[in-house]
CSV table of all heavy atoms in Angstrom, one decimal:
chain,number,residue,atom,x,y,z
A,1,PRO,N,17.5,-2.2,-20.6
A,1,PRO,CA,16.6,-2.0,-21.8
A,1,PRO,C,16.8,-2.9,-23.0
A,1,PRO,O,16.0,-2.9,-23.8
A,1,PRO,CB,17.0,-0.5,-22.1
A,1,PRO,CG,17.5,0.1,-20.9
A,1,PRO,CD,18.2,-1.0,-20.2
A,2,THR,N,18.0,-3.5,-23.1
A,2,THR,CA,18.3,-4.4,-24.2
A,2,THR,C,18.9,-5.7,-23.7
A,2,THR,O,19.4,-5.8,-22.6
A,2,THR,CB,19.2,-3.8,-25.2
A,2,THR,OG1,20.5,-3.7,-24.6
A,2,THR,CG2,18.8,-2.4,-25.6
A,3,LYS,N,18.9,-6.7,-24.6
A,3,LYS,CA,19.5,-8.0,-24.2
A,3,LYS,C,21.0,-7.9,-23.9
A,3,LYS,O,21.5,-8.5,-23.0
A,3,LYS,CB,19.2,-9.1,-25.3
A,3,LYS,CG,17.7,-9.4,-25.4
A,3,LYS,CD,17.5,-10.3,-26.6
A,3,LYS,CE,17.8,-11.8,-26.4
A,3,LYS,NZ,17.4,-12.6,-27.5
A,4,THR,N,21.7,-7.1,-24.8
A,4,THR,CA,23.1,-6.9,-24.6
A,4,THR,C,23.4,-6.3,-23.2
A,4,THR,O,24.3,-6.7,-22.5
A,4,THR,CB,23.7,-6.1,-25.7
A,4,THR,OG1,23.4,-6.8,-27.0
A,4,THR,CG2,25.2,-6.0,-25.6
A,5,LEU,N,22.7,-5.2,-22.9
A,5,LEU,CA,22.9,-4.6,-21.6
A,5,LEU,C,22.5,-5.5,-20.4
A,5,LEU,O,23.1,-5.5,-19.4
A,5,LEU,CB,22.1,-3.3,-21.6
A,5,LEU,CG,22.6,-2.1,-22.4
A,5,LEU,CD1,21.7,-1.0,-22.4
A,5,LEU,CD2,24.0,-1.7,-22.0
A,6,ALA,N,21.4,-6.3,-20.7
A,6,ALA,CA,21.0,-7.3,-19.6
A,6,ALA,C,22.1,-8.3,-19.3
A,6,ALA,O,22.3,-8.7,-18.2
A,6,ALA,CB,19.7,-8.0,-20.0
A,7,LYS,N,22.8,-8.7,-20.4
A,7,LYS,CA,24.0,-9.6,-20.2
A,7,LYS,C,25.0,-9.0,-19.3
A,7,LYS,O,25.6,-9.6,-18.4
A,7,LYS,CB,24.6,-9.9,-21.6
A,7,LYS,CG,24.1,-11.2,-22.2
A,7,LYS,CD,24.8,-12.4,-21.8
A,7,LYS,CE,24.7,-13.6,-22.7
A,7,LYS,NZ,25.5,-14.8,-22.2
A,8,ILE,N,25.3,-7.7,-19.6
A,8,ILE,CA,26.3,-7.0,-18.8
A,8,ILE,C,25.8,-6.8,-17.3
A,8,ILE,O,26.6,-7.0,-16.4
A,8,ILE,CB,26.6,-5.6,-19.4
A,8,ILE,CG1,27.3,-5.8,-20.8
A,8,ILE,CG2,27.4,-4.7,-18.5
A,8,ILE,CD1,27.5,-4.5,-21.5
A,9,ALA,N,24.6,-6.5,-17.2
A,9,ALA,CA,24.0,-6.4,-15.8
A,9,ALA,C,24.1,-7.7,-15.0
A,9,ALA,O,24.4,-7.7,-13.8
A,9,ALA,CB,22.6,-5.9,-15.9
A,10,SER,N,23.9,-8.8,-15.7
A,10,SER,CA,24.0,-10.1,-15.1
A,10,SER,C,25.4,-10.4,-14.6
A,10,SER,O,25.6,-10.9,-13.5
A,10,SER,CB,23.5,-11.2,-16.0
A,10,SER,OG,23.6,-12.5,-15.4
A,11,LYS,N,26.4,-10.0,-15.4
A,11,LYS,CA,27.8,-10.2,-15.0
A,11,LYS,C,28.1,-9.3,-13.7
A,11,LYS,O,28.8,-9.8,-12.8
A,11,LYS,CB,28.7,-9.8,-16.1
A,11,LYS,CG,28.8,-10.8,-17.3
A,11,LYS,CD,29.7,-10.4,-18.4
A,11,LYS,CE,29.8,-11.4,-19.5
A,11,LYS,NZ,30.5,-12.6,-19.1
A,12,LEU,N,27.6,-8.1,-13.7
A,12,LEU,CA,27.7,-7.3,-12.5
A,12,LEU,C,27.1,-7.9,-11.3
A,12,LEU,O,27.7,-7.8,-10.2
A,12,LEU,CB,27.1,-5.9,-12.8
A,12,LEU,CG,27.9,-4.9,-13.6
A,12,LEU,CD1,27.1,-3.6,-13.7
A,12,LEU,CD2,29.3,-4.6,-13.1
A,13,CYS,N,26.0,-8.5,-11.5
A,13,CYS,CA,25.3,-9.1,-10.4
A,13,CYS,C,26.1,-10.2,-9.7
A,13,CYS,O,26.1,-10.4,-8.5
A,13,CYS,CB,23.9,-9.7,-10.9
A,13,CYS,SG,22.9,-10.3,-9.5
A,14,LYS,N,26.9,-11.0,-10.6
A,14,LYS,CA,27.8,-12.0,-10.0
A,14,LYS,C,28.9,-11.4,-9.2
A,14,LYS,O,29.3,-12.0,-8.2
A,14,LYS,CB,28.3,-12.9,-11.2
A,14,LYS,CG,27.3,-13.8,-11.9
A,14,LYS,CD,28.1,-14.5,-13.0
A,14,LYS,CE,27.1,-15.4,-13.8
A,14,LYS,NZ,26.6,-16.5,-13.0
A,15,GLN,N,29.4,-10.2,-9.6
A,15,GLN,CA,30.5,-9.6,-9.0
A,15,GLN,C,30.1,-9.0,-7.6
A,15,GLN,O,31.0,-8.8,-6.8
A,15,GLN,CB,31.1,-8.6,-9.9
A,15,GLN,CG,31.7,-9.1,-11.2
A,15,GLN,CD,32.2,-8.0,-12.1
A,15,GLN,OE1,32.3,-6.9,-11.7
A,15,GLN,NE2,32.4,-8.4,-13.4
A,16,TYR,N,28.9,-8.6,-7.5
A,16,TYR,CA,28.5,-7.9,-6.3
A,16,TYR,C,27.3,-8.6,-5.6
A,16,TYR,O,26.1,-8.4,-5.9
A,16,TYR,CB,28.1,-6.5,-6.6
A,16,TYR,CG,29.2,-5.7,-7.3
A,16,TYR,CD1,29.2,-5.5,-8.6
A,16,TYR,CD2,30.2,-5.1,-6.5
A,16,TYR,CE1,30.2,-4.7,-9.2
A,16,TYR,CE2,31.2,-4.4,-7.1
A,16,TYR,CZ,31.2,-4.2,-8.4
A,16,TYR,OH,32.3,-3.5,-9.0
A,17,PRO,N,27.6,-9.5,-4.6
A,17,PRO,CA,26.6,-10.2,-3.9
A,17,PRO,C,25.6,-9.3,-3.2
A,17,PRO,O,24.4,-9.8,-2.9
A,17,PRO,CB,27.4,-11.1,-2.9
A,17,PRO,CG,28.8,-11.1,-3.4
A,17,PRO,CD,29.0,-9.9,-4.2
A,18,LYS,N,26.0,-8.1,-2.8
A,18,LYS,CA,25.0,-7.2,-2.1
A,18,LYS,C,23.8,-6.9,-3.0
A,18,LYS,O,22.8,-6.4,-2.4
A,18,LYS,CB,25.7,-5.9,-1.7
A,18,LYS,CG,26.8,-6.1,-0.6
A,18,LYS,CD,27.4,-4.8,-0.2
A,18,LYS,CE,28.3,-5.0,1.0
A,18,LYS,NZ,29.0,-3.7,1.4
A,19,LEU,N,23.9,-7.1,-4.3
A,19,LEU,CA,22.8,-6.8,-5.1
A,19,LEU,C,21.6,-7.8,-4.9
A,19,LEU,O,20.5,-7.7,-5.5
A,19,LEU,CB,23.2,-6.9,-6.6
A,19,LEU,CG,24.1,-5.7,-7.0
A,19,LEU,CD1,24.6,-5.9,-8.5
A,19,LEU,CD2,23.4,-4.4,-7.0
A,20,ASP,N,21.9,-8.9,-4.2
A,20,ASP,CA,20.8,-9.8,-3.8
A,20,ASP,C,20.2,-10.5,-5.0
A,20,ASP,O,19.0,-10.7,-5.0
A,20,ASP,CB,19.8,-9.1,-2.9
A,20,ASP,CG,18.9,-10.1,-2.2
A,20,ASP,OD1,19.3,-11.3,-2.0
A,20,ASP,OD2,17.7,-9.7,-1.8
A,21,GLY,N,21.0,-10.9,-5.9
A,21,GLY,CA,20.5,-11.7,-7.0
A,21,GLY,C,20.0,-11.0,-8.2
A,21,GLY,O,19.6,-11.6,-9.2
A,22,CYS,N,19.9,-9.6,-8.2
A,22,CYS,CA,19.4,-8.9,-9.3
A,22,CYS,C,20.0,-7.5,-9.5
A,22,CYS,O,20.1,-6.8,-8.5
A,22,CYS,CB,17.8,-8.7,-9.2
A,22,CYS,SG,17.1,-7.7,-10.5
A,23,CYS,N,20.5,-7.2,-10.7
A,23,CYS,CA,21.0,-5.9,-11.0
A,23,CYS,C,20.1,-5.3,-12.1
A,23,CYS,O,20.1,-5.8,-13.2
A,23,CYS,CB,22.5,-6.0,-11.5
A,23,CYS,SG,23.2,-4.4,-12.1
A,24,CYS,N,19.4,-4.2,-11.7
A,24,CYS,CA,18.5,-3.6,-12.6
A,24,CYS,C,19.2,-2.3,-13.1
A,24,CYS,O,19.4,-1.3,-12.3
A,24,CYS,CB,17.1,-3.3,-12.0
A,24,CYS,SG,15.9,-2.7,-13.1
A,25,MET,N,19.5,-2.2,-14.3
A,25,MET,CA,20.3,-1.1,-14.9
A,25,MET,C,19.5,-0.4,-15.9
A,25,MET,O,19.2,-0.9,-17.0
A,25,MET,CB,21.6,-1.7,-15.5
A,25,MET,CG,22.7,-0.8,-15.8
A,25,MET,SD,24.2,-1.7,-16.2
A,25,MET,CE,23.8,-2.4,-17.8
A,26,TYR,N,19.1,0.9,-15.6
A,26,TYR,CA,18.2,1.6,-16.5
A,26,TYR,C,18.5,3.1,-16.6
A,26,TYR,O,18.2,3.7,-17.6
A,26,TYR,CB,16.7,1.4,-16.1
A,26,TYR,CG,16.4,1.9,-14.7
A,26,TYR,CD1,15.9,3.2,-14.5
A,26,TYR,CD2,16.6,1.1,-13.6
A,26,TYR,CE1,15.7,3.7,-13.2
A,26,TYR,CE2,16.3,1.6,-12.3
A,26,TYR,CZ,15.8,2.9,-12.1
A,26,TYR,OH,15.6,3.3,-10.9
A,27,ARG,N,19.1,3.7,-15.6
A,27,ARG,CA,19.5,5.1,-15.7
A,27,ARG,C,20.7,5.3,-16.7
A,27,ARG,O,21.7,4.5,-16.5
A,27,ARG,CB,19.9,5.7,-14.3
A,27,ARG,CG,18.7,5.7,-13.3
A,27,ARG,CD,19.2,6.4,-12.1
A,27,ARG,NE,18.1,6.3,-11.0
A,27,ARG,CZ,18.1,5.4,-10.1
A,27,ARG,NH1,19.0,4.4,-10.1
A,27,ARG,NH2,17.1,5.4,-9.2
A,28,GLN,N,20.6,6.2,-17.6
A,28,GLN,CA,21.7,6.4,-18.6
A,28,GLN,C,23.0,6.7,-17.9
A,28,GLN,O,24.0,6.2,-18.4
A,28,GLN,CB,21.3,7.5,-19.5
A,28,GLN,CG,22.2,7.7,-20.7
A,28,GLN,CD,22.4,6.4,-21.5
A,28,GLN,OE1,21.4,5.7,-21.8
A,28,GLN,NE2,23.6,6.0,-21.9
A,29,GLY,N,23.0,7.5,-16.8
A,29,GLY,CA,24.3,7.7,-16.2
A,29,GLY,C,24.9,6.5,-15.6
A,29,GLY,O,26.1,6.3,-15.6
A,30,ASP,N,24.1,5.6,-15.0
A,30,ASP,CA,24.6,4.4,-14.4
A,30,ASP,C,25.1,3.5,-15.5
A,30,ASP,O,26.2,2.8,-15.4
A,30,ASP,CB,23.5,3.7,-13.6
A,30,ASP,CG,23.1,4.4,-12.4
A,30,ASP,OD1,23.9,5.3,-11.9
A,30,ASP,OD2,22.0,4.2,-11.9
A,31,ILE,N,24.4,3.4,-16.7
A,31,ILE,CA,24.8,2.5,-17.8
A,31,ILE,C,26.2,3.0,-18.3
A,31,ILE,O,27.1,2.2,-18.5
A,31,ILE,CB,23.7,2.5,-18.9
A,31,ILE,CG1,22.5,1.8,-18.4
A,31,ILE,CG2,24.3,1.9,-20.1
A,31,ILE,CD1,21.3,1.9,-19.4
A,32,GLU,N,26.3,4.3,-18.5
A,32,GLU,CA,27.6,4.9,-19.0
A,32,GLU,C,28.7,4.5,-18.0
A,32,GLU,O,29.8,4.1,-18.5
A,32,GLU,CB,27.5,6.4,-19.1
A,32,GLU,CG,28.8,7.0,-19.6
A,32,GLU,CD,28.7,8.5,-19.8
A,32,GLU,OE1,27.6,9.0,-20.1
A,32,GLU,OE2,29.8,9.2,-19.7
A,33,LYS,N,28.5,4.6,-16.7
A,33,LYS,CA,29.5,4.3,-15.7
A,33,LYS,C,30.0,2.9,-15.8
A,33,LYS,O,31.2,2.5,-15.8
A,33,LYS,CB,29.0,4.6,-14.3
A,33,LYS,CG,30.0,4.4,-13.2
A,33,LYS,CD,29.5,4.8,-11.9
A,33,LYS,CE,30.5,4.5,-10.8
A,33,LYS,NZ,29.9,4.8,-9.4
A,34,VAL,N,29.0,2.0,-16.0
A,34,VAL,CA,29.3,0.6,-16.1
A,34,VAL,C,30.1,0.3,-17.4
A,34,VAL,O,31.1,-0.4,-17.4
A,34,VAL,CB,28.0,-0.3,-16.1
A,34,VAL,CG1,28.3,-1.7,-16.5
A,34,VAL,CG2,27.4,-0.2,-14.7
A,35,LEU,N,29.6,0.9,-18.5
A,35,LEU,CA,30.3,0.6,-19.8
A,35,LEU,C,31.7,1.1,-19.8
A,35,LEU,O,32.6,0.5,-20.5
A,35,LEU,CB,29.5,1.3,-20.9
A,35,LEU,CG,28.0,0.7,-21.2
A,35,LEU,CD1,27.4,1.4,-22.4
A,35,LEU,CD2,28.0,-0.8,-21.4
A,36,ARG,N,32.0,2.2,-19.1
A,36,ARG,CA,33.3,2.7,-19.1
A,36,ARG,C,34.3,1.7,-18.4
A,36,ARG,O,35.5,1.8,-18.7
A,36,ARG,CB,33.4,4.0,-18.3
A,36,ARG,CG,32.8,5.2,-19.1
A,36,ARG,CD,32.9,6.5,-18.4
A,36,ARG,NE,32.4,7.6,-19.1
A,36,ARG,CZ,33.0,8.3,-20.1
A,36,ARG,NH1,34.3,8.0,-20.3
A,36,ARG,NH2,32.5,9.3,-20.7
A,37,GLY,N,33.8,0.8,-17.6
A,37,GLY,CA,34.7,-0.1,-17.0
A,37,GLY,C,34.6,-1.6,-17.5
A,37,GLY,O,35.2,-2.5,-16.9
A,38,PHE,N,33.8,-1.7,-18.5
A,38,PHE,CA,33.5,-3.1,-19.0
A,38,PHE,C,34.3,-3.4,-20.2
A,38,PHE,O,34.3,-2.7,-21.2
A,38,PHE,CB,32.0,-3.2,-19.3
A,38,PHE,CG,31.5,-4.6,-19.5
A,38,PHE,CD1,31.2,-5.4,-18.3
A,38,PHE,CD2,31.4,-5.3,-20.7
A,38,PHE,CE1,30.7,-6.7,-18.4
A,38,PHE,CE2,31.0,-6.6,-20.8
A,38,PHE,CZ,30.7,-7.3,-19.7
A,39,PRO,N,35.2,-4.5,-20.1
A,39,PRO,CA,36.1,-4.8,-21.2
A,39,PRO,C,35.3,-5.1,-22.5
A,39,PRO,O,34.3,-5.8,-22.5
A,39,PRO,CB,36.8,-6.1,-20.7
A,39,PRO,CG,36.7,-6.1,-19.2
A,39,PRO,CD,35.3,-5.4,-19.0
């Protein structure tokens, strides 16, 4: 939903090749889970 979150999603995409080049992050629960582990 925002540029800052898109930056984080792009970093996740690099870490997980199974995402096949795109990480779409929009559910609030998923975003919270990601943010809890993001430095």
